[in-house]
Amino acid sequence: MRLSVLDLVPVRTDQSTADAVAATVQVAQTADRLGFTRYWVAEHHNMPAVAATSPPVLLAYLANQTERIRLGSGGVMLPNHAPLAVAEQFALLEAMAPGRVDLGIGRAPGSDPVTSMALRGARAANDEDIERFPEYLDHVAALMSTGGARVGLSRGMLAQQDYTLKATPAAVGECTLWLLGSSMYSAHLAAAKGLPYVFANHFSGQGTAEALATYRAEFRPSPELSAPRTFLTVNASVADTAEEAHRLLLPNLQMMGRLRTGRPLGPLDLVEDAEATSVSAQEQLIIDSSVARTVVGDAAGAADQMRALAAEFDVDEVMVNPVASAFAGTAAGTAPARERTLELLAKELL
């Protein structure tokens, strides 16, 4: 089994943004040292517990801090950006770290409506960018290609001439383009375009089997990919004992409970603060449901859960989102429980 990592760069109550980024560097270096396949960072905006707002910025920093692990976005939310801007960023990343870059693209806003308006300006008032998502996806791929994209002009000084747009002047290689999603829309689109595809099982937890089955059944080979390619994402908290793993998981579970019941969000709690927090009956139902979809336990138990998931969904790679928080007194610029999750899984599975 191949193991990979998804990182939202969580911010605990005892951390600044700088602390959270410093901790992420250590987690990425741990994954690199242990032999994980890829390390992806997300795009979320205006969330108190998430510092991952700009994947290309984070990836450029991590490329300089790691040696061999693939680096990618999980994902860039394309409606927030001009296709050329995304293509330029990732073409440059590929030039900086040749053969190590994945561009995962999603359609969701990654934010609330107010933040989306601030990101996209007047474009947020209509759905054109979302409706044109398949077209924009093609634009990104063409612009990143070594030949660039040909643009036919019908007016102006360049009329009747071919105009070439390139994301970077002299590309030698191209990063791998992945389509991400949490609905059947993305499964259909990835299959139609012959792209590798990842369903957000770590977030949704529902519809994974249907989405993967649809993708595999409808897949049309493309010049870039001859057969379906996918893997599984899952939240995980692994520790030396199952009891410790469950304690470290509790702050993340409570945060998800607040998110899905519309309560105000804050930074990720420390374990002791979470244990002293009361939750509503509705939140408890969400917490219980989330636990059932999470890999949690000691090394042996978690490894068994990972093998069962891989077998259930017929994948040979699992991407772990290490969601363990920390105990009071943990150094602010570190995330030892997240690193320990990776170490214990690697010991059993790599």
Side-chain angles (χ1 to χ4, degrees), residues 193-244:
K193 290 188 175 296
L195 290 172
Y197 170 63
V198 181
F199 183 84
N201 178 75
H202 70 283
F203 178 77
S204 175
Q206 296 181 349
T208 303
E210 182 184 4
L212 294 185
T214 296
Y215 168 65
R216 288 165 172 151
E218 298 181 1
F219 182 84
R220 299 176 186 172
S222 66
E224 293 74 28
L225 192 64
S226 61
R229 184 181 180 192
T230 188
F231 57 75
L232 185 71
T233 63
V234 66
N235 293 330
S237 174
V238 188
D240 294 320
T241 67
E243 178 187 5
E244 182 183 3

Side-chain angles (χ1 to χ4, degrees), residues 1-5 27-40 62-72 94 96-102 317 342 346 350:
M1 179 188 299
R2 292 193 298 270
L3 295 179
S4 294
V5 180
V27 177
Q29 290 173 334
T30 296
D32 193 24
R33 171 176 54 83
L34 292 172
F36 281 67
T37 299
R38 63 189 93 240
Y39 198 98
W40 284 8
L62 292 176
N64 194 45
Q65 305 282 340
T66 55
E67 295 180 359
R68 48 127 234 115
I69 196 168
R70 292 190 67 88
L71 301 167
E94 174 63 26
M96 293 164 57
R100 293 178 59 197
V101 179
D102 296 325
E317 180 177 343
L342 302 188
L350 293 181

Side-chain angles (χ1 to χ4, degrees), residues 9-292:
V9 192
V11 183
R12 305 189 306 258
T13 54
D14 63 337
Q15 290 180 313
S16 66
T17 300
D19 294 329
V21 172
T24 274
V25 170
Q26 294 184 36
V27 177
Q29 290 173 334
T30 296
D32 193 24
R33 171 176 54 83
L34 292 172
F36 281 67
T37 299
R38 63 189 93 240
Y39 198 98
W40 284 8
V41 295
E43 178 187 338
H44 292 287
H45 300 280
N46 200 35
M47 297 186 70
V50 177
T53 54
S54 178
V57 172
L58 281 168
L59 295 174
Y61 189 54
L62 292 176
N64 194 45
Q65 305 282 340
T66 55
E67 295 180 359
R68 48 127 234 115
I69 196 168
R70 292 190 67 88
L71 301 167
S73 55
V76 166
M77 300 296 103
L78 189 54
N80 294 336
H81 312 282
L84 178 57
V86 174
E88 286 180 333
Q89 291 160 358
F90 279 81
L92 194 55
L93 284 169
E94 174 63 26
M96 293 164 57
R100 293 178 59 197
V101 179
D102 296 325
L103 170 53
I105 289 182
R107 189 174 65 119
S111 62
D112 60 82
V114 175
T115 306
S116 182
M117 180 69 75
L119 275 169
R120 298 170 56 202
R123 294 185 298 113
N126 60 63
D127 293 329
E128 182 181 358
D129 290 330
I130 295 174
E131 293 171 355
R132 297 182 66 184
F133 177 77
E135 177 186 353
Y136 290 165
L137 198 63
D138 291 340
H139 290 174
V140 171
L143 291 163
M144 287 194 304
S145 68
T146 55
R150 298 283 184 177
V151 180
L153 302 176
S154 58
R155 288 183 288 178
M157 294 179 61
L158 297 176
Q160 309 306 320
Q161 297 183 33
D162 281 338
Y163 188 86
T164 301
L165 278 173
K166 287 188 173 184
T168 194
V172 175
E174 301 173 22
C175 63
T176 303
L177 183 62
W178 293 73
L179 186 59
L180 318 182
S182 58
S183 69
M184 293 304 297
Y185 172 91
S186 57
H188 292 299
L189 183 61
K193 290 188 175 296
L195 290 172
Y197 170 63
V198 181
F199 183 84
N201 178 75
H202 70 283
F203 178 77
S204 175
Q206 296 181 349
T208 303
E210 182 184 4
L212 294 185
T214 296
Y215 168 65
R216 288 165 172 151
E218 298 181 1
F219 182 84
R220 299 176 186 172
S222 66
E224 293 74 28
L225 192 64
S226 61
R229 184 181 180 192
T230 188
F231 57 75
L232 185 71
T233 63
V234 66
N235 293 330
S237 174
V238 188
D240 294 320
T241 67
E243 178 187 5
E244 182 183 3
H246 279 275
R247 293 184 69 196
L248 288 161
L249 177 62
L250 184 60
N252 181 267
L253 295 175
Q254 290 183 351
M255 183 177 67
M256 291 306 299
R258 289 191 290 271
L259 174 66
R260 293 182 175 176
T261 56
R263 289 187 57 193
L265 300 176
L268 186 68
D269 282 335
L270 297 171
V271 170
E272 293 85 349
D273 295 330
E275 290 176 331
T277 298
S278 298
V279 298
S280 68
Q282 185 181 9
E283 287 172 308
Q284 189 61 54
L285 288 174
I286 294 169
I287 288 171
D288 293 342
S289 175
S290 297
V291 170

